[in-house]
Structure formats: C-alpha cells, structure tokens
Amino acid sequence: NAGVTQTPKFQVLKTGQSMTLQCAQDMNHNSMYWYRQDPGMGLRLIYYSASEGTTDKGEVPNGYNVSRLNKREFSLRLESAAPSQTSVYFCASSDLAGGPSNEQFFGPGTRLTVL
Amino acid sequence: SQQGEEDPQALSIQEGENATMNCSYKTSINNLQWYRQNSGRGLVHLILIRSNEREKHSGRLRVTLDTSKKSSSLLITASRAADTASYFCATVFLIQGAQKLVFGQGTRLTINP
C-alpha cells in the first residue's frame, strides 16, 4: 500500500502560469481533501470531496479548482498562479464519517513557489 | 475563523521529561484529533477523542477533553528525541459524510538529548 501519493514534490511557477497538482490514494477511501500550509501555520482546507462525484469548497477556495476524477484521484488546479499561493499543499483521504476509521491520511506534500 | 489556538507555540525540554500541549477551540465539535508533523513531511494521526469522552490513552500519549471549556491537552510522557516534531490539534466537523478538520497553528516540540 502506497497510501496517499502526490505529484510533483516541488514546483516553481511564474505569476499567471497554471498547473495541476495530482493526488491518488489506494486505501479505497470515499473522502479526499486538499489543504495548504503556510510557514508556521496549521493546515487550511481548500476543497474537499465527500465521495466520488461531489466536491465542495473549504475555508480558502479562491484561486483554485478541483476535480474528483474517480474514487482514487483528486486533483487541484491553479488557473493563474499568484505569489500568495506559495505554500505547501497536502492531499488527504479518509473513510466516510461513521466508517471504520475517523483519521485522515496525508500525502507527503507539494512545495509550490510562485515568483 | 473556526481555527483553534495551541499553547505553547514552542516547547523545548530534556529527554525523559513530560511534554504538555494545550488546544482551545471555539465551536461544538464531533471529535478532536491530534496529529504529528515531522519537518518536511505530511501529518500523521496520533489519537482521536470523541466529544463524549474526557480522557484517552495510547502508549505514552494521554489526551484530555473538556467540552465545557472547549479545550484539550496532549501529554507525552517520558519524551524521546524521536518525539521532536510539530503537534497539531484538529477539531472535526461532519459535513455531508466528510470530516472537515480545522487545525490549530501547532506546537513545535524539541526534545534535547
């Protein structure tokens, strides 16, 4: 089991460029999440997908879009990157609430710098 | 913001001592979870305490929850150098079957050998 995988690990963009962060999980989880972590801060939820076919905004969705491609994959897209989006991005997955486990499993993160 | 607050922001102790971290939050919760983050890594789940529980143990970890004060504490006993990491509390809200986690800013724990 690889758990939650993310690509790429590092990325540098220029202001205005676009990119997609990829996330995949092999634990058959229904729910998936995207967070960002700024220096010295906790994680903030960008978007989440409670189950395949649904996506919803989290705390800081502006400037981002997501796609739940299938049960395994959940991608995050920056259409026009801004320096304020410089951050470390984490993907996570979990069972549905009430399932066998309530914990979230996190990927290793993507470190994004926007110049 | 629903984000909780953690105290202290940084803690440095000697190996073998106990470490206590505190977390306060603002609204009613379903459960509260503690996570550890090693430098440059993702978060790892440590322990979950439900809103109807007051104390929970897991190995060298002890978590308490006081819903009347909207606060929780994490105690790590007999600390080891490998416990050096950042620790985050996360309050959990259930939305459409998903678990929405709201994280505190974290406590950076350093264990000195």
Side-chain angles (χ1 to χ4, degrees), chain A residues 31 33 35 37 40-43 45 48 50 56 59 90 94-97 101-104 106-108 111, chain B residues 1 3 31 33 35 37 40-43 45 48 50 88 94-101 103-105 108:
Chain A
S31 303
Y33 312 82
Y35 295 90
Q37 184 178 31
M41 301 285 289
L43 277 67
L45 183 64
Y48 66 98
D56 284 284
E59 186 184 353
F90 290 98
S94 72
D95 287 321
L96 278 175
S101 168
N102 285 290
E103 66 179 280
Q104 289 190 10
F106 284 81
R111 191 173 299 272
Chain B
S1 169
Q3 194 171 43
N31 64 71
Q33 302 179 21
Y35 286 80
Q37 183 180 35
R41 299 291 193 86
L43 277 68
H45 180 265
L48 177 155
R50 299 185 189 281
F88 295 90
L94 303 184
I95 301 177
Q96 299 173 348
Q99 301 174 51
K100 181 180 173 184
L101 268 58
F103 287 87
Q105 293 183 322
R108 192 192 314 266

Side-chain angles (χ1 to χ4, degrees), chain A residues 45-47 56-65 76-77 85:
Chain A
L45 183 64
I46 304 171
Y47 269 93
D56 284 284
K57 295 177 181 179
E59 186 184 353
V60 288
N62 291 346
Y64 305 96
N65 284 303
L76 178 71
R77 183 161 178 84
Q85 294 178 304

